[in-house]
Amino acid sequence: MSDQSITTIPARAQTLTVLRYMSPREPILMLPGEEDGYGTRWTLSGQQVQPAIAQYLMARGLIAETGRTELGARKLTLTTAGLRVREDGIHWWSGLSLSEKLRVIIFG
């Protein structure tokens, strides 16, 4: 990951955690809100995903809609680019020392 791409990722450690937990069986669910987008929620395995992270993943084309649930929630799964970013992120994270990981978790 280049330094420029790292600085644009919101909450890097949390974003990588979201990417690591995603799979075809565990998509992000986008629960619809009002017409103007107010109230929209994103969840993964029942836990809320920060809106900034979900919007970042969608804007970068790392996740895409693959259908809807019976209740109308949109299912968002990793794209090919998303899979590549996840693998690069895991490789990047494993190369960090403990103090570097703590710095990323605390300061983003």
Side-chain angles (χ1 to χ4, degrees), residues 26-38:
E26 288 294 336
I28 288 180
L29 297 180
M30 182 177 170
L31 309 168
E34 302 296 322
E35 288 296 318
D36 62 0
Y38 180 76

Side-chain angles (χ1 to χ4, degrees), residues 13-98:
Q14 290 177 4
T15 300
L16 183 56
T17 299
V18 168
L19 289 171
R20 289 178 64 201
Y21 284 125
M22 288 186 71
S23 72
R25 289 186 171 176
E26 288 294 336
I28 288 180
L29 297 180
M30 182 177 170
L31 309 168
E34 302 296 322
E35 288 296 318
D36 62 0
Y38 180 76
T40 300
R41 299 279 186 255
W42 293 269
T43 65
L44 177 62
S45 297
Q47 299 296 313
Q48 185 169 342
V49 175
Q50 291 183 20
I53 292 173
Q55 291 169 350
Y56 169 82
L57 296 174
M58 289 175 20
R60 297 289 189 263
L62 303 178
I63 58 176
E65 184 174 348
T66 57
R68 292 185 180 259
T69 66
E70 297 80 23
L71 300 174
R74 295 169 57 189
K75 291 191 243 180
L76 304 164
T77 58
L78 289 171
T79 62
T80 303
L83 291 168
R84 189 172 48 253
V85 167
R86 177 174 64 181
E87 292 306 313
D88 290 347
I90 291 169
H91 178 73
W92 166 75
W93 186 258
S94 67
L96 296 178
S97 68
L98 179 59

